Amino acid sequence: MGQALGPHPAGDGVSFLSGDGAHDTRSAARAIDALRRGWPVRVAGAAGALRLLPVESATDAVLAGFSPDALLISGERAATLKLTNQLAAASPGPVRIALGSDRTAARGMAIADPALDLANPMKGPFRTDPLGVEDAAAAAIVLARHAGVLPAWFVSDDNAAPVEAETSVTAIADYADPLRLTIAARARLPVEASESGELVAYRSREDPREHVALILGQRDSSPPVVRLHSECLTGDVLGSLKCDCGPQLHAALHDIAGAPWGILLYLRQEGRGIGLINKLRAYQLQDQGFDTVDANTRLGFPVEARDFGIAARMLSLLGVDAVRLMTNNPEKVARLEKEGVRVIERLPLALPTNVHNERYLATKRDRTGHQL
């Protein structure tokens, strides 16, 4: 670990500012980078701050210097552990669990990682404590999702506990603002479905994910056929049979190529927004018998964590405000319209199932409202 940062001189209630007085979203990017390396961070809220160490990468040696007092877990994970009442479970927020004498890395993972639930069936009894800095706790859960790690933290109340990066609630909220996306480059790209393709790449200064739009056909005055496709390494590249992402991608390209013109938006939101590593953890839970919805919530994530404001921004930069949307998910229609894009028509995309993805597709139909 490099040189640790000490407490910020302005105190625990500080917001981090750039030179022109605007909230410094770069501090969120630095915190995400530190988090991916397993280093502790500090998140400042309106009335105080939290010093946090990601549970999944903690070691007993690091914990000895960090002096943890509690665990912070997401509301979804807390509901799985029966730590929220019925009202709280309907709209879950973070939960702080007091640590007893067992303040080890193994203890933290036994609570945070649902893949270990069968090996550690008796985790409690737990004592939950007040969050204290509620906005910082909620922002910390979002920060974990941006970094693609389990939404679980060791918390240190020691103001001298070392951290490697500092950020604020506002910086985390601004970090993934779709309005920060700009077009970085574009070029002609003939593809198997159509030789008239053009690829447009987008990026923002803070978020390293580069989204792309593939435009097929010759633009005219008609609304384009548009497909929102979230990145799926396992399905798109490796040909996974557990989902229908790869076949959907290729079928959509051919259907778009058959229209006067259209756009495929390829969104870098792997695993419905929880990241590749956590998606593989969800696969582990599916192998234990859980469906995709329950796997995500047991991990501590919402069922749907994608940001469709990114798609709306990409279309806006292309001068598109009305589309014929190719999707089986009515929620995509509602979310895109909420972002200001008119959906003139919903076009279903029907594909055959296989023995490996039948349950996955049934779950999408029965629990998340997908329809043809």
Side-chain angles (χ1 to χ4, degrees), residues 104-314:
T104 61
R107 172 67 169 164
M109 280 298 286
I111 295 172
D113 188 352
L116 303 176
D117 283 350
L118 294 179
N120 299 274
M122 303 298 291
K123 297 183 176 65
F126 297 113
R127 190 188 86 234
T128 59
D129 288 340
L131 287 174
V133 191
E134 294 190 8
D135 58 346
I141 301 301
V142 173
L143 190 67
R145 180 167 54 79
H146 284 320
V149 301
L150 285 172
W153 306 87
F154 284 106
V155 180
S156 177
D157 293 329
D158 182 356
N159 286 338
V163 296
E164 286 286 345
E166 305 188 17
T167 189
S168 69
V169 168
T170 304
I172 294 169
D174 290 346
Y175 167 77
D177 184 350
L179 294 180
R180 297 180 181 277
L181 275 180
T182 60
I183 293 177
R186 56 198 307 163
R188 186 179 71 86
L189 183 69
V191 295
E192 188 269 335
S194 172
E195 295 183 1
S196 66
E198 181 188 20
L199 193 66
V200 183
Y202 304 75
R203 69 181 173 195
S204 69
R205 288 182 300 173
E206 294 83 13
D207 190 343
R209 297 174 300 174
E210 294 167 338
H211 308 279
V212 297
L214 179 62
I215 304 171
L216 301 181
Q218 298 301 316
R219 182 167 183 165
D220 58 26
S221 60
S222 66
V225 172
V226 171
R227 171 70 180 170
L228 276 56
H229 188 90
S230 296
E231 176 183 30
C232 178
L233 173 70
T234 50
D236 299 343
V237 179
L238 303 178
S240 168
L241 298 177
K242 287 178 66 72
C243 65
D244 59 347
C245 299
Q248 278 195 336
L249 173 61
H250 296 291
L253 285 172
H254 282 278
D255 286 355
I256 291 172
W261 77 293
I263 308 168
L264 176 93
L265 300 181
Y266 197 82
L267 309 173
R268 302 293 301 281
Q269 301 189 106
E270 181 86 45
R272 288 180 171 262
I274 67 175
L276 177 62
I277 303 300
N278 285 319
K279 183 174 84 168
L280 296 184
R281 289 178 170 134
Y283 281 1
Q284 286 182 294
L285 295 177
Q286 290 168 36
D287 288 340
Q288 293 180 12
F290 298 100
D291 65 24
T292 52
V293 169
D294 289 337
N296 274 31
T297 56
R298 290 184 76 87
L299 279 167
F301 295 105
V303 176
E304 177 61 85
R306 290 174 291 184
D307 182 358
F308 293 112
I310 294 171
R313 172 63 174 172
M314 293 167 72

